[in-house]
Amino acid sequence: DTSREAGRTMRGDMLSVRALSAIAILALLSPPVVRPVAAGGVIAPTRGVTDRVLEDVGQDGASTPTASQGNAASWVRKALRPKLVDINLDDAKADGGALGSSSRPESGIKDLPADAVAVDVRFDYVVPDTNIEGTTARPDTLIACKSFLVHPESVDPYGEGRVDRFKDLGVDPDLDRRGGEDVAARNVNIVAIEPMPGMHHVHHMHLHVCSDDSVAWARHRRTFMDALDPGVDELGTTPAKGDKPLYCAPPSWDRGSGCHGTAWTFLPGQNGVLFPEGVGMRIGDGPLDLRRLILEVHYDKANEYPRTRDRSGIRLWTVPRDDAVVHRAGVFSVADPFARLPQSLPPGEKKVTYDTFCPPGCTKRFETPMNVFASMTHAHLRARRVVTSVGTPDGTGAVPDEGWRSVVNDDGSGTATGHFSHEDQKFVPVDFTVKAGDSLKTTCIYDTSADNAPIPFGPSTQDEMCMQVFLYWPKQYTFLCGYYGDQAYWCGDAGMFVPKDGSDRRYHSEACHVEAGQSCDDRNEELGFPLKDAPDKGEPITFLTR
């Protein structure tokens, strides 16, 4: 134990040296080329221009980490479970630390730096009555979005000397503050993130990062159709009636939205996360910074709590020290990122296994390895076990059976039991690297013994999902990798695909089977249930080239 402690101290000292010696982070972008800004500020690839990523500057001047600098273990600070503090509904605590406040809100994150200040990206939303016909497509499911402009308090976000905000303010601010808003940040270096679910029916939250010309960001400056459109009346004097919510398709999964990834994803049971030392995010207007954000909140069973006020959101913990963020953290979603898997789970089965992949055809586009330091699993009520493995293909393009190594487990112990609970979907510390050309296989195991009809994959809690979310450094463009359809894999942005062909199709295609070995489609057909087509059937798809 003493030697381990000494090792940790030494690694911390090495990190301090690295942080001090890393005097430059190079965003390798060609200045003459105009390129759209994407998730977290990463520049979107442009035809004819090689897509580049954030480059690390090592102690020896090398542009990629070397063996002498250690692997990801040298940089991991364990994500710790917070104490149970009611920061969600107690405004006296939750709003402390905002601009102009002398107090700091309570936090459940152990070892949060003493100089950390909270920056809240947060709803002020009254859930509409979804029981009224036509309010939403499904009364039990409501997805709401709100736009935010986050900027340093010393910066005029409009560039015109104006200080007015673009809130949708009505005669009763407690009820009508439902449009987008700007958030002034005292500090800009994000070293920890803490979710603030306002009610237990919040199924998930995504914090989407959008470009300056994002149509989705402009659209979600309001959250209700029967509210003021800030693009028409900047004064914000029309009350928001709040009966008809503005439909929100998750922006980063919507091609053409101008949003290109998430800075954070919250799932039930998640804790706050303190990033590894030297790793984090930053608020600003640079190509890798957070500026225009959309907070997406998915309410489950929304029809059970009409007219309930919700203040869910994401808290960004920031510090004044620029050297606190030497490497940018990224969010990477694999397996089936948007619940599109084609084979429904057969009913009446104690064990149904679904394998899905992030294939070598996508990861070979990585320009630097991904050093993964935290992982979170997402599935729904029937999932019992989820394990993700990494393998390096051999000359045939296949990963030998003994070549798969489990990298994601439930408690950080290295046992890779993969135990899954829908109520406890938190980030856990992991330590592995994904290299260019690797394959990631996610295996989800379900129990459908209580069902009498096939269970499709979809966003509702009554459907199913199979998804893994990683936190890693250094950030690069690819934030989605996994199943899209029979023609393609998602690879990068919502509109970026690699073909499902060759060895990727042969060895890295999705597969579903019941315990007896029968495929899920064959079992469903045997039971007399119709089969589903692949979701991209007949869809024209443009593939990435390099």
Side-chain angles (χ1 to χ4, degrees):
D1 291 341
T2 302
S3 62
R4 291 179 181 175
E5 184 61 35
R8 284 194 292 267
T9 301
M10 183 172 64
R11 288 193 296 268
D13 292 339
M14 289 175 63
L15 179 58
S16 300
V17 171
R18 178 180 170 88
L20 291 171
S21 62
I23 59 173
I25 297 178
L26 304 178
L28 298 178
L29 310 175
S30 178
V33 180
V34 178
R35 307 173 70 190
V37 176
V42 174
I43 300 302
T46 300
R47 182 175 300 175
V49 179
T50 302
D51 40 318
R52 307 297 291 271
V53 299
L54 176 65
E55 183 178 65
D56 286 334
V57 180
Q59 288 175 286
D60 57 358
S63 60
T64 56
T66 65
S68 65
Q69 296 164 11
N71 60 18
S74 303
W75 310 89
V76 171
R77 177 188 287 158
K78 193 171 184 179
L80 297 165
R81 174 181 289 278
K83 60 184 179 180
L84 297 178
V85 178
D86 180 12
I87 61 171
N88 304 316
L89 302 177
D90 185 340
D91 290 343
K93 294 178 181 177
D95 289 337
L99 191 62
S101 171
S102 60
S103 62
R104 185 172 93 166
E106 293 188 52
S107 172
I109 300 178
K110 186 179 179 181
D111 299 327
L112 189 70
D115 58 350
V117 173
V119 176
D120 288 351
V121 180
R122 190 177 182 193
F123 262 26
D124 191 351
Y125 185 75
V126 176
V127 177
D129 187 351
T130 60
N131 295 294
I132 300 174
E133 186 175 355
T135 301
T136 55
R138 293 174 54 163
D140 63 338
T141 301
L142 171 64
I143 300 178
C145 286
K146 179 178 178 180
S147 297
F148 293 83
L149 182 66
V150 185
H151 59 90
E153 64 174 310
S154 60
V155 174
D156 170 21
Y158 307 102
E160 301 174 4
R162 293 189 294 143
V163 295
D164 59 309
R165 297 183 175 190
F166 51 88
K167 288 182 179 179
D168 176 9
L169 291 174
V171 294
D172 184 349
D174 286 339
L175 295 178
D176 295 320
R177 189 169 65 204
R178 299 175 185 167
E181 65 178 273
D182 63 330
V183 178
R186 182 182 302 162
N187 302 324
V188 299
N189 304 293
I190 303 168
V191 297
I193 293 183
E194 195 161 19
M196 300 188 296
M199 57 178 68
H200 71 277
H201 286 299
V202 173
H203 173 273
H204 72 247
M205 292 186 284
H206 290 307
L207 191 60
H208 300 270
V209 186
C210 308
S211 55
D212 284 350
D213 60 353
S214 166
V215 294
W217 188 88
R219 169 183 170 84
H220 293 295
R221 285 170 60 178
R222 57 173 178 162
T223 52
F224 288 86
M225 293 179 66
D226 51 350
L228 167 76
D229 184 346
V232 176
D233 184 357
E234 290 287 349
L235 296 178
T237 56
T238 304
K241 189 176 179 182
D243 287 335
K244 182 68 173 176
L246 186 65
Y247 174 74
C248 176
S252 291
W253 284 264
D254 186 13
R255 278 182 276 178
S257 70
C259 301
H260 307 276
T262 56
W264 201 253
T265 292
F266 162 81
L267 297 170
Q270 187 188 100
N271 309 319
V273 172
L274 180 65
F275 293 134
E277 190 170 344
V279 175
M281 303 178 188
R282 186 166 290 150
I283 296 166
D285 57 4
L288 289 166
D289 294 340
L290 307 187
R291 173 176 165 83
R292 294 184 187 267
L293 306 174
I294 295 178
L295 177 62
E296 171 206 335
V297 180
H298 178 166
Y299 298 96
D300 194 29
K301 301 179 181 178
N303 54 323
E304 296 182 5
Y305 43 93
R307 303 301 177 190
T308 300
R309 185 182 181 190
D310 177 49
R311 301 203 65 209
S312 293
I314 304 294
R315 172 161 288 160
L316 313 175
W317 285 104
T318 63
V319 298
R321 295 169 280 108
D322 288 342
D323 62 357
V325 179
V326 179
H327 306 285
R328 301 300 178 93
V331 178
F332 183 46
S333 297
V334 302
D336 182 26
F338 202 46
R340 293 170 59 91
L341 285 171
Q343 297 191 58
S344 296
L345 304 177
E349 299 286 341
K350 188 65 178 176
K351 182 180 180 181
V352 183
T353 302
Y354 220 134
D355 291 329
T356 187
F357 295 81
C358 166
C362 180
T363 65
K364 70 181 182 181
R365 298 179 58 82
F366 292 1
E367 294 197 13
T368 61
M370 282 188 175
N371 302 297
V372 183
F373 61 87
S375 174
M376 178 173 61
T377 299
H378 183 50
H380 289 164
L381 302 175
R382 299 168 188 82
R384 297 293 180 266
R385 185 171 182 262
V386 180
V387 172
T388 293
S389 303
V390 174
T392 301
D394 59 21
T396 69
V399 176
D401 289 343
E402 66 277 10
W404 291 107
R405 55 194 187 279
S406 297
V407 293
V408 172
N409 52 72
D410 61 329
D411 61 1
S413 67
T415 58
T417 64
H419 171 73
F420 177 79
S421 169
H422 185 263
E423 301 304 316
D424 194 24
Q425 302 181 66
K426 62 181 182 292
F427 279 111
V428 297
V430 295
D431 171 21
F432 67 94
T433 300
V434 183
K435 303 184 300 297
D438 281 349
S439 179
L440 292 98
K441 177 175 69 174
T442 300
T443 300
C444 293
I445 298 176
Y446 306 90
D447 180 353
T448 66
S449 55
D451 294 283
N452 53 24
I455 301 92
F457 283 76
S460 171
T461 305
Q462 303 311 310
D463 302 329
E464 267 307 334
M465 293 189 74
C466 180
M467 178 180 173
Q468 199 85 46
V469 181
F470 299 133
L471 301 179
Y472 73 95
W473 64 272
K475 182 177 175 60
Q476 53 185 294
Y477 190 80
T478 302
F479 80 93
L480 290 175
C481 180
Y483 180 82
Y484 183 78
D486 190 56
Q487 303 179 67
Y489 298 94
W490 247 324
C491 183
D493 204 337
M496 299 174 70
F497 308 98
V498 292
K500 182 182 284 187
D501 58 13
S503 59
D504 279 357
R505 176 177 286 277
R506 285 193 298 274
Y507 305 119
H508 309 277
S509 285
E510 71 287 348
C512 181
H513 62 85
V514 298
E515 194 164 15
Q518 192 176 21
S519 78
C520 293
D521 270 356
D522 286 349
R523 180 57 178 158
N524 282 325
E525 191 170 35
E526 183 178 80
L527 294 172
F529 295 107
L531 305 183
K532 294 168 53 182
D533 288 328
D536 64 343
K537 183 178 180 180
E539 178 183 347
I541 296 177
T542 301
F543 297 111
L544 294 170
T545 59
R546 189 163 188 173

